[in-house]
Amino acid sequence: MSSDVDLDSEQYEKHREAGEILQTVREEAVDRIEVGASHLELVEHVESRIRELGGKPAFPMNVCIDEEAAHGTPSADDSSTFGEEMINIDIGVHVDGWIADSAVTVDLSGNDELVEASAAALDTAIEMAEPGIDTSVLGDVIGRTIEGYGYNPIVNLTGHGLGHYEQHTSPNIPNKKVPQGVTLEVGDVVAIEPFATDGRGKVTEGNEEEIFALETEGSVRNRQARQALEQITEEFRTLPFATRWLDVPRAEMTLRRLKQRNIVHGYPILKEKRGSLVSQKEHTIIITENGCEVTTR
Ligand code: MN
Ligand code: MN
């Protein structure tokens, strides 16, 4: 993006509006998390509050427990409640396709230092974010901050740019030093999201899959599949959605059908090794002339 970009334009105003809605619902979510509270009630509260406040969810609210790092969200019949666990919540809001993305850890397990590690890494990266900085430098400082606490950064998860109705665009913001970075410029909108763990520092795919997104437009004969595809293309476009968001009977079977035809793709849950814990913190920033503006804080 060129340096004559207008940071007061409608696009950036909508990024900010999405960020403000996100701050409100994130606070409400944190207040509701306690031992015995329901996962499903939490995400339904947050997602409906986003709509009440004039935004739309940019993706299903993620709820990840202990070794889970990303892409967890309750199914329509989920009955889980919170225990004395490490809980990561990740929320996305968009206003007319302009996105805010933010995550925080609520720790009910008594592991403050691990929570602090990802939070401190994010703070340091935000302080350094300015035009001309290389994303590899940010990754380096994130990784070293987390290691300074005696934990590992998760290196195969990264921050990312946010495009119009696109939740993951270039540039990646790595969580470690990488050989080749990208230079950030005024007007770039990026999410920075350090993950810290007492595990390996690498996530793998689990079996559960509750989040999907449109891959290519295609045609299907099955009535339910056609109906679902209509809802997906009109309502979610290319943004991720949850199985529980589909207004068709037997949504799971319908999604399997669409997946087999490569019309949608899934986001399997991403986990650290069993028995480990993961903390996460994420904010969305806009690169400005003098540094950056955090839209979600
Ligand atoms: Mn996120
Ligand atoms: Mn993100």
Side-chain angles (χ1 to χ4, degrees):
M1 221 167 269
S2 72
S3 60
D4 57 6
V5 54
D6 178 11
L7 294 178
D8 296 323
S9 67
E10 203 177 308
Q11 161 188 350
Y12 291 102
E13 285 304 323
K14 287 178 176 176
H15 272 298
R16 293 183 184 100
E17 205 182 319
E20 276 173 34
I21 295 168
L22 201 150
Q23 291 173 50
T24 304
V25 301
R26 190 186 56 219
E27 260 173 51
E28 290 180 11
V30 169
D31 284 347
R32 282 167 177 255
I33 294 175
E34 57 184 21
V35 173
S38 147
H39 294 194
L40 186 60
E41 276 173 30
L42 177 73
V43 300
E44 286 182 338
H45 169 81
V46 165
E47 291 167 2
S48 73
R49 282 287 286 149
I50 291 171
R51 294 193 177 90
E52 258 173 50
L53 294 168
K56 285 182 181 161
F59 53 83
M61 178 178 171
N62 285 210
V63 175
C64 288
I65 307 295
D66 290 345
E67 73 262 28
E68 298 170 354
H71 303 162
T73 201
S75 61
D77 59 0
D78 185 282
S79 60
S80 326
T81 55
F82 296 109
E84 288 174 356
E85 300 157 332
M86 184 160 287
I87 298 136
N88 291 321
I89 56 169
D90 195 338
I91 302 173
V93 175
H94 77 88
V95 172
D96 296 334
W98 302 107
I99 302 172
D101 183 2
S102 174
V104 69
T105 298
V106 178
D107 180 40
L108 305 179
S109 74
N111 287 279
D112 304 356
E113 289 268 300
L114 182 55
V115 177
E116 228 177 280
S118 53
L122 178 61
D123 285 346
T124 314
I126 286 173
E127 264 170 48
M128 292 174 66
E130 61 180 13
I133 193 146
D134 192 282
T135 53
S136 180
V137 173
L138 295 179
D140 187 28
V141 78
I142 287 170
R144 281 191 292 112
T145 303
I146 292 170
E147 282 160 9
Y149 280 82
Y151 295 112
N152 290 317
I154 296 183
V155 298
N156 60 340
L157 291 174
T158 67
H160 50 90
L162 291 162
H164 193 220
Y165 285 104
E166 275 189 290
Q167 206 237 323
H168 283 121
T169 60
S170 60
N172 280 344
I173 313 291
N175 289 325
K176 63 161 184 180
K177 188 176 179 177
V178 293
Q180 183 72 57
V182 175
T183 304
L184 295 182
E185 293 173 29
V186 174
D188 285 347
V189 182
V190 295
I192 305 181
E193 48 183 312
F195 291 80
T197 182
D198 57 358
R200 281 179 297 233
K202 210 161 205 179
V203 287
T204 54
E205 293 185 354
N207 296 323
E208 301 113 275
E209 199 171 59
E210 286 293 334
I211 301 178
F212 296 85
L214 187 67
E215 173 87 47
T216 46
E217 299 204 20
S219 62
V220 276
R221 279 201 300 271
N222 175 271
R223 207 166 75 100
Q224 261 104 44
R226 233 173 34 222
Q227 209 182 320
L229 195 53
E230 219 175 270
Q231 186 187 359
I232 294 163
T233 49
E234 281 171 21
E235 206 178 317
F236 317 132
R237 303 206 197 184
T238 47
L239 291 171
F241 60 91
T243 311
R244 62 185 156 77
W245 287 1
L246 288 181
D247 301 323
V248 297
R250 289 177 299 169
E252 278 173 33
M253 198 204 278
T254 304
L255 278 170
R256 270 203 298 277
R257 213 184 277 266
L258 292 173
K259 217 180 119 175
Q260 271 164 11
R261 294 179 173 252
N262 295 317
I263 294 172
V264 302
H265 63 93
Y267 294 88
I269 196 159
L270 299 175
K271 297 179 177 191
E272 255 292 341
K273 77 169 197 227
R274 188 187 287 272
S276 62
L277 296 174
V278 174
S279 78
Q280 175 194 15
K281 195 156 186 195
E282 176 181 28
H283 278 304
T284 297
I285 65 170
I286 302 171
I287 302 296
T288 60
E289 295 287 347
N290 306 318
C292 74
E293 175 187 339
V294 184
T295 66
T296 49
R297 181 167 67 190

